[in-house]
Coordinates of all heavy atoms in Angstrom, one line a residue:
E17 N 16.4 23.5 -10.2 CA 17.0 22.6 -11.2 C 18.5 22.5 -10.9 O 19.2 23.5 -10.6 CB 16.7 23.1 -12.6 CG 17.2 22.1 -13.7 CD 16.7 22.5 -15.0 OE1 15.6 23.0 -15.2 OE2 17.4 22.2 -16.0
G18 N 19.1 21.3 -11.0 CA 20.5 21.1 -10.8 C 21.0 21.0 -9.4 O 22.2 21.0 -9.1
E19 N 20.0 21.0 -8.4 CA 20.4 21.0 -7.0 C 19.8 19.8 -6.2 O 18.8 19.2 -6.7 CB 20.0 22.3 -6.3 CG 20.8 23.5 -6.9 CD 20.5 24.8 -6.1 OE1 20.1 24.7 -4.9 OE2 20.8 25.8 -6.7
L20 N 20.4 19.5 -5.1 CA 19.9 18.5 -4.2 C 19.2 19.2 -3.0 O 19.6 20.3 -2.6 CB 21.0 17.7 -3.6 CG 21.9 16.9 -4.7 CD1 23.1 16.2 -4.0 CD2 21.0 15.9 -5.4
K21 N 18.2 18.5 -2.4 CA 17.6 19.0 -1.2 C 17.3 17.8 -0.3 O 16.6 16.8 -0.7 CB 16.3 19.7 -1.5 CG 15.5 20.2 -0.3 CD 14.3 21.0 -0.6 CE 13.6 21.6 0.6 NZ 14.4 22.5 1.4
G22 N 17.8 17.8 1.0 CA 17.6 16.8 1.9 C 16.2 17.0 2.6 O 16.0 18.2 3.0
V23 N 15.4 16.0 2.8 CA 14.1 16.1 3.4 C 13.9 14.9 4.3 O 14.6 13.9 4.2 CB 13.0 16.3 2.4 CG1 13.1 17.6 1.6 CG2 12.9 15.1 1.5
G24 N 12.9 14.9 5.1 CA 12.5 13.8 5.9 C 11.0 13.4 5.6 O 10.2 14.3 5.3
A25 N 10.7 12.1 5.6 CA 9.4 11.6 5.3 C 9.1 10.4 6.2 O 9.7 9.4 6.0 CB 9.2 11.3 3.9
D26 N 8.3 10.6 7.2 CA 8.0 9.5 8.2 C 9.2 8.8 8.7 O 9.3 7.6 8.8 CB 7.1 8.5 7.5 CG 5.6 8.9 7.4 OD1 5.3 10.0 7.9 OD2 4.8 8.2 6.8
G27 N 10.2 9.6 9.1 CA 11.4 9.1 9.7 C 12.5 8.6 8.7 O 13.5 8.1 9.2
V28 N 12.2 8.8 7.5 CA 13.1 8.3 6.4 C 13.8 9.5 5.9 O 13.2 10.5 5.5 CB 12.4 7.6 5.3 CG1 13.4 7.1 4.2 CG2 11.6 6.4 5.8
R29 N 15.2 9.5 5.8 CA 15.9 10.6 5.2 C 16.0 10.4 3.7 O 16.4 9.3 3.2 CB 17.4 10.6 5.8 CG 17.5 10.9 7.2 CD 18.9 11.0 7.7 NE 19.8 10.2 6.8 CZ 20.9 9.7 7.2 NH1 21.3 9.8 8.4 NH2 21.7 9.0 6.4
I30 N 15.6 11.4 3.0 CA 15.5 11.4 1.5 C 16.2 12.6 1.0 O 16.2 13.7 1.5 CB 14.0 11.4 1.1 CG1 13.4 10.1 1.6 CG2 13.9 11.5 -0.4 CD1 11.9 10.0 1.3
V31 N 16.9 12.4 -0.2 CA 17.4 13.5 -0.9 C 16.7 13.6 -2.2 O 16.5 12.6 -3.0 CB 19.0 13.3 -1.1 CG1 19.3 12.1 -1.9 CG2 19.5 14.6 -1.8
L32 N 16.2 14.8 -2.5 CA 15.5 15.1 -3.8 C 16.6 15.7 -4.7 O 17.4 16.5 -4.3 CB 14.4 16.1 -3.6 CG 13.3 15.7 -2.6 CD1 12.3 16.9 -2.4 CD2 12.6 14.5 -3.0
A33 N 16.5 15.3 -6.0 CA 17.4 15.8 -7.0 C 16.5 16.3 -8.2 O 15.7 15.6 -8.7 CB 18.3 14.7 -7.5
N34 N 16.8 17.5 -8.5 CA 16.0 18.1 -9.7 C 16.9 18.0 -10.9 O 17.9 18.7 -11.1 CB 15.7 19.6 -9.4 CG 14.8 20.1 -10.5 OD1 14.9 19.7 -11.7 ND2 14.0 21.1 -10.2
V35 N 16.6 16.9 -11.7 CA 17.4 16.7 -12.9 C 16.6 17.2 -14.1 O 15.6 16.6 -14.6 CB 17.6 15.1 -13.1 CG1 18.4 14.8 -14.3 CG2 18.3 14.6 -11.9
E36 N 17.1 18.4 -14.6 CA 16.4 19.0 -15.8 C 14.9 19.1 -15.7 O 14.2 18.8 -16.6 CB 16.8 18.2 -17.1 CG 18.3 18.2 -17.3 CD 18.8 17.4 -18.5 OE1 17.9 16.7 -19.1 OE2 19.9 17.4 -18.8
G37 N 14.5 19.4 -14.5 CA 13.0 19.6 -14.2 C 12.3 18.4 -13.7 O 11.2 18.5 -13.3
D38 N 13.0 17.3 -13.7 CA 12.4 16.0 -13.1 C 12.9 15.9 -11.7 O 14.1 15.9 -11.5 CB 12.7 14.8 -14.0 CG 12.1 14.8 -15.3 OD1 11.0 15.3 -15.5 OD2 12.7 14.3 -16.3
I39 N 11.9 15.6 -10.8 CA 12.3 15.4 -9.4 C 12.5 13.9 -9.1 O 11.6 13.1 -9.4 CB 11.3 16.0 -8.4 CG1 11.1 17.5 -8.7 CG2 11.7 15.8 -7.0 CD1 12.3 18.4 -8.5
C40 N 13.7 13.5 -8.6 CA 13.9 12.2 -8.3 C 14.2 12.1 -6.8 O 14.7 13.1 -6.2 CB 15.2 11.7 -9.1 SG 15.0 11.8 -10.9
A41 N 13.9 11.0 -6.2 CA 14.1 10.8 -4.7 C 14.9 9.5 -4.4 O 14.6 8.5 -4.9 CB 12.8 10.7 -4.0
L42 N 16.0 9.7 -3.6 CA 16.9 8.7 -3.2 C 16.9 8.6 -1.7 O 16.8 9.7 -1.0 CB 18.3 8.9 -3.7 CG 18.5 9.0 -5.2 CD1 19.9 9.7 -5.5 CD2 18.5 7.6 -5.8
L43 N 17.3 7.5 -1.1 CA 17.6 7.4 0.3 C 18.8 8.3 0.5 O 19.8 8.3 -0.2 CB 17.9 6.0 0.7 CG 18.2 5.7 2.1 CD1 16.9 6.0 3.0 CD2 18.7 4.3 2.4
D44 N 18.8 9.2 1.5 CA 19.8 10.1 1.8 C 20.9 9.5 2.6 O 21.3 9.9 3.7 CB 19.2 11.4 2.5 CG 20.2 12.5 2.5 OD1 21.3 12.4 1.8 OD2 19.9 13.5 3.2
Q45 N 21.5 8.4 2.0 CA 22.6 7.7 2.6 C 23.4 7.0 1.6 O 22.9 6.2 0.8 CB 22.0 6.6 3.6 CG 23.0 5.8 4.3 CD 22.3 4.7 5.2 OE1 21.2 4.9 5.6 NE2 23.0 3.6 5.4
C46 N 24.7 7.4 1.5 CA 25.6 6.7 0.6 C 25.7 5.2 0.9 O 25.7 4.9 2.1 CB 27.0 7.4 0.7 SG 28.2 6.7 -0.5
S47 N 25.7 4.4 -0.1 CA 25.8 2.9 0.1 C 27.2 2.5 0.5 O 27.4 1.4 1.0 CB 25.3 2.2 -1.1 OG 26.1 2.4 -2.2
H48 N 28.1 3.4 0.3 CA 29.5 3.1 0.7 C 29.7 3.3 2.2 O 30.3 2.4 2.9 CB 30.5 3.9 -0.1 CG 31.9 3.9 0.4 ND1 32.5 5.0 1.0 CD2 32.8 2.9 0.5 CE1 33.7 4.7 1.3 NE2 34.0 3.5 1.0
E49 N 29.3 4.4 2.7 CA 29.4 4.7 4.2 C 28.1 5.4 4.5 O 27.3 5.9 3.7 CB 30.5 5.7 4.5 CG 31.9 5.1 4.1 CD 32.6 4.5 5.3 OE1 32.2 4.7 6.5 OE2 33.6 3.8 5.1
D50 N 27.8 5.5 5.8 CA 26.5 6.1 6.2 C 26.6 7.6 6.3 O 26.5 8.2 7.3 CB 26.1 5.6 7.6 CG 24.7 6.0 8.0 OD1 23.9 6.5 7.1 OD2 24.4 6.0 9.2
Y51 N 26.9 8.2 5.1 CA 27.0 9.7 5.0 C 25.8 10.2 4.2 O 25.4 9.5 3.2 CB 28.3 10.1 4.4 CG 29.5 9.9 5.3 CD1 30.5 9.0 4.9 CD2 29.6 10.5 6.5 CE1 31.6 8.8 5.7 CE2 30.7 10.3 7.3 CZ 31.7 9.4 6.9 OH 32.8 9.2 7.7
P52 N 25.3 11.4 4.5 CA 24.2 11.9 3.7 C 24.6 12.4 2.3 O 25.5 13.2 2.1 CB 23.7 13.1 4.5 CG 24.8 13.5 5.4 CD 25.7 12.3 5.6
L53 N 23.9 11.9 1.3 CA 24.1 12.3 -0.1 C 23.7 13.7 -0.3 O 24.3 14.4 -1.2 CB 23.4 11.4 -1.0 CG 23.9 10.0 -1.1 CD1 23.0 9.1 -2.0 CD2 25.3 9.9 -1.7
S54 N 22.8 14.2 0.6 CA 22.4 15.6 0.4 C 23.5 16.6 0.7 O 23.4 17.8 0.3 CB 21.2 15.9 1.3 OG 21.5 15.7 2.7
D55 N 24.6 16.2 1.3 CA 25.7 17.1 1.5 C 26.6 17.2 0.3 O 27.4 18.1 0.2 CB 26.6 16.5 2.6 CG 26.1 16.7 4.0 OD1 25.0 17.4 4.2 OD2 26.6 16.1 5.0
G56 N 26.3 16.4 -0.7 CA 27.1 16.4 -2.0 C 26.5 17.3 -3.0 O 25.9 18.4 -2.6
E57 N 26.7 17.0 -4.2 CA 26.2 17.8 -5.3 C 25.6 17.0 -6.4 O 25.8 15.8 -6.5 CB 27.3 18.7 -5.9 CG 28.4 17.9 -6.5 CD 29.6 18.8 -7.0 OE1 29.6 20.0 -6.7 OE2 30.4 18.3 -7.8
L58 N 24.9 17.7 -7.3 CA 24.3 17.0 -8.5 C 25.1 17.4 -9.7 O 25.3 18.6 -9.9 CB 22.8 17.5 -8.6 CG 22.0 16.8 -9.7 CD1 21.9 15.3 -9.5 CD2 20.6 17.4 -9.8
D59 N 25.7 16.5 -10.3 CA 26.5 16.7 -11.5 C 25.8 16.1 -12.7 O 25.9 14.9 -12.9 CB 27.9 16.1 -11.3 CG 28.9 16.4 -12.5 OD1 28.6 17.2 -13.3 OD2 29.9 15.7 -12.5
G60 N 25.1 16.9 -13.4 CA 24.3 16.3 -14.5 C 23.2 15.4 -14.0 O 22.3 15.9 -13.2
R61 N 23.2 14.1 -14.3 CA 22.3 13.2 -13.8 C 22.8 12.4 -12.6 O 22.2 11.4 -12.2 CB 21.9 12.2 -14.9 CG 21.1 12.8 -16.0 CD 20.6 11.8 -16.9 NE 19.8 10.7 -16.3 CZ 18.5 10.9 -16.0 NH1 17.8 11.9 -16.3 NH2 17.8 9.9 -15.4
E62 N 24.0 12.7 -12.1 CA 24.6 12.0 -11.0 C 24.7 12.7 -9.7 O 25.1 13.9 -9.7 CB 26.0 11.5 -11.5 CG 26.0 10.6 -12.6 CD 27.3 10.1 -13.1 OE1 28.4 10.6 -12.5 OE2 27.4 9.2 -14.0
V63 N 24.4 12.0 -8.6 CA 24.6 12.5 -7.3 C 26.0 12.1 -6.9 O 26.4 11.0 -7.0 CB 23.5 11.9 -6.3 CG1 23.8 12.4 -4.9 CG2 22.1 12.3 -6.7
V64 N 26.8 13.1 -6.4 CA 28.1 12.9 -6.0 C 28.3 13.0 -4.5 O 28.0 14.0 -3.9 CB 29.1 13.9 -6.7 CG1 30.5 13.6 -6.3 CG2 28.9 13.9 -8.2
C65 N 28.7 11.9 -3.8 CA 28.9 12.0 -2.4 C 30.2 12.8 -2.1 O 31.2 12.5 -2.7 CB 29.1 10.5 -1.9 SG 29.4 10.5 -0.1
M66 N 30.0 13.8 -1.3 CA 31.2 14.7 -1.0 C 32.3 14.0 -0.2 O 33.4 14.5 -0.1 CB 30.7 16.0 -0.4 CG 30.3 15.9 1.0 SD 30.0 17.5 1.8 CE 31.7 18.0 2.2
Y67 N 31.9 12.9 0.5 CA 32.9 12.3 1.4 C 33.9 11.4 0.8 O 35.1 11.4 1.2 CB 32.1 11.6 2.6 CG 31.3 12.6 3.3 CD1 29.9 12.7 3.1 CD2 31.8 13.4 4.3 CE1 29.1 13.7 3.7 CE2 31.1 14.3 5.0 CZ 29.7 14.5 4.7 OH 29.0 15.4 5.4
H68 N 33.5 10.6 -0.2 CA 34.5 9.7 -0.8 C 34.4 9.7 -2.3 O 35.0 8.9 -3.0 CB 34.3 8.3 -0.3 CG 34.6 8.2 1.2 ND1 33.7 8.0 2.1 CD2 35.8 8.3 1.8 CE1 34.2 8.0 3.3 NE2 35.5 8.1 3.2
G69 N 33.5 10.6 -2.9 CA 33.4 10.7 -4.4 C 32.6 9.7 -5.1 O 32.5 9.7 -6.3
A70 N 31.9 8.8 -4.3 CA 31.0 7.8 -5.0 C 29.9 8.6 -5.8 O 29.5 9.7 -5.4 CB 30.4 6.9 -4.0
R71 N 29.5 8.0 -6.9 CA 28.5 8.6 -7.8 C 27.4 7.6 -8.0 O 27.6 6.4 -8.1 CB 29.1 9.0 -9.1 CG 30.0 10.2 -9.0 CD 30.7 10.5 -10.4 NE 31.4 11.7 -10.3 CZ 31.0 12.9 -10.9 NH1 29.8 12.9 -11.5 NH2 31.7 14.0 -10.8
F72 N 26.1 8.2 -8.0 CA 24.9 7.4 -8.2 C 24.0 8.1 -9.3 O 24.0 9.3 -9.3 CB 24.2 7.3 -6.9 CG 25.0 6.7 -5.8 CD1 25.7 7.5 -5.0 CD2 25.0 5.3 -5.6 CE1 26.5 6.9 -4.0 CE2 25.8 4.7 -4.6 CZ 26.5 5.6 -3.8
D73 N 23.4 7.3 -10.1 CA 22.4 7.9 -11.0 C 21.2 8.5 -10.1 O 20.7 7.8 -9.2 CB 21.8 6.8 -11.9 CG 20.8 7.4 -12.9 OD1 19.6 7.6 -12.5 OD2 21.2 7.7 -14.0
A74 N 20.9 9.7 -10.3 CA 20.0 10.4 -9.5 C 18.6 9.9 -9.5 O 17.8 10.0 -8.6 CB 19.9 11.9 -9.8
C75 N 18.2 9.2 -10.6 CA 16.8 8.7 -10.8 C 16.7 7.2 -10.6 O 15.6 6.8 -10.1 CB 16.2 9.2 -12.1 SG 16.1 11.0 -12.2
S76 N 17.7 6.5 -10.9 CA 17.6 5.0 -10.7 C 18.3 4.5 -9.5 O 18.1 3.4 -9.0 CB 18.2 4.3 -12.0 OG 19.6 4.4 -12.0
G77 N 19.2 5.3 -8.9 CA 20.0 4.9 -7.8 C 21.2 4.0 -8.1 O 21.9 3.6 -7.2
A78 N 21.4 3.7 -9.4 CA 22.5 2.9 -9.8 C 23.8 3.4 -9.4 O 24.1 4.6 -9.5 CB 22.4 2.6 -11.3
R79 N 24.7 2.6 -8.9 CA 26.0 3.0 -8.6 C 26.8 3.2 -9.9 O 26.7 2.5 -10.8 CB 26.7 1.8 -7.8 CG 28.1 2.3 -7.3 CD 29.3 1.4 -7.6 NE 29.3 0.3 -8.5 CZ 30.2 0.1 -9.4 NH1 31.1 1.0 -9.7 NH2 30.1 -1.0 -10.2
K80 N 27.5 4.4 -9.9 CA 28.3 4.7 -11.1 C 29.8 4.6 -10.9 O 30.5 4.3 -11.9 CB 27.9 6.2 -11.5 CG 26.5 6.3 -12.0 CD 26.3 5.5 -13.2 CE 25.0 5.8 -13.9 NZ 24.9 5.1 -15.2
T81 N 30.3 4.9 -9.7 CA 31.7 4.8 -9.5 C 32.0 4.2 -8.1 O 31.2 4.3 -7.2 CB 32.4 6.2 -9.6 OG1 31.9 7.0 -8.5 CG2 32.2 6.8 -10.9
L82 N 33.2 3.7 -8.0 CA 33.7 3.3 -6.7 C 34.0 4.5 -5.8 O 34.1 5.6 -6.4 CB 35.0 2.5 -6.9 CG 34.9 1.2 -7.6 CD1 36.3 0.6 -7.9 CD2 34.0 0.2 -6.8
P83 N 34.0 4.5 -4.5 CA 34.1 3.3 -3.8 C 32.8 2.6 -3.5 O 32.8 1.5 -2.9 CB 34.7 3.8 -2.5 CG 34.3 5.1 -2.3 CD 34.2 5.7 -3.7
A84 N 31.7 3.1 -3.9 CA 30.4 2.5 -3.7 C 30.3 1.2 -4.6 O 30.8 1.3 -5.7 CB 29.2 3.4 -4.0
I85 N 29.7 0.1 -4.1 CA 29.6 -1.1 -4.9 C 28.1 -1.4 -5.0 O 27.7 -2.3 -5.8 CB 30.4 -2.2 -4.4 CG1 30.0 -2.6 -2.9 CG2 31.9 -2.0 -4.5 CD1 30.7 -3.8 -2.4
R86 N 27.2 -0.8 -4.2 CA 25.8 -1.1 -4.2 C 25.0 0.1 -4.6 O 25.4 1.3 -4.4 CB 25.3 -1.5 -2.8 CG 25.9 -2.8 -2.3 CD 25.4 -3.3 -0.9 NE 25.4 -2.2 0.0 CZ 26.4 -1.8 0.8 NH1 27.6 -2.4 0.6 NH2 26.3 -0.8 1.7
P87 N 23.8 -0.1 -5.2 CA 23.0 1.1 -5.6 C 22.4 1.7 -4.3 O 22.5 1.1 -3.2 CB 21.9 0.5 -6.5 CG 21.8 -1.0 -6.0 CD 23.2 -1.3 -5.6
V88 N 21.7 2.8 -4.5 CA 21.0 3.5 -3.4 C 19.5 3.3 -3.7 O 19.0 3.4 -4.9 CB 21.3 5.0 -3.4 CG1 20.5 5.7 -2.4 CG2 22.8 5.1 -3.0
R89 N 18.7 3.1 -2.7 CA 17.3 2.9 -2.8 C 16.6 4.2 -3.4 O 17.0 5.3 -3.0 CB 16.6 2.6 -1.4 CG 15.2 2.5 -1.5 CD 14.6 2.1 -0.1 NE 13.1 2.1 -0.2 CZ 12.4 2.2 0.9 NH1 12.9 2.2 2.1 NH2 11.0 2.2 0.7
T90 N 15.6 4.0 -4.2 CA 14.9 5.2 -4.8 C 13.4 5.1 -4.3 O 13.0 4.0 -3.8 CB 14.9 5.1 -6.3 OG1 14.3 3.9 -6.8 CG2 16.4 5.3 -6.8
F91 N 12.7 6.2 -4.5 CA 11.3 6.3 -4.1 C 10.5 6.9 -5.2 O 11.0 7.9 -5.9 CB 11.2 7.2 -2.8 CG 12.0 6.7 -1.6 CD1 13.3 7.1 -1.4 CD2 11.4 5.8 -0.7 CE1 14.0 6.6 -0.3 CE2 12.1 5.4 0.4 CZ 13.4 5.8 0.6

Side-chain angles (χ1 to χ4, degrees):
E17 189 170 324
E19 294 189 19
L20 300 175
K21 179 174 182 64
V23 297
D26 282 357
V28 179
R29 295 183 335 209
I30 293 173
V31 60
L32 302 176
N34 186 330
V35 180
E36 298 175 353
D38 291 327
I39 304 296
C40 303
L42 300 162
L43 184 65
D44 193 8
Q45 179 180 333
C46 182
S47 65
H48 168 246
E49 298 264 346
D50 186 20
Y51 292 116
L53 290 173
S54 58
D55 287 350
E57 65 181 11
L58 187 60
D59 182 16
R61 294 189 53 85
E62 295 181 355
V63 176
V64 182
C65 178
M66 74 170 282
Y67 298 97
H68 296 108
R71 290 175 171 256
F72 303 90
D73 182 278
C75 295
S76 73
R79 185 231 10 132
K80 294 297 194 175
T81 62
L82 295 172
I85 59 172
R86 294 181 315 275
V88 175
R89 180 180 174 196
T90 61
F91 300 89

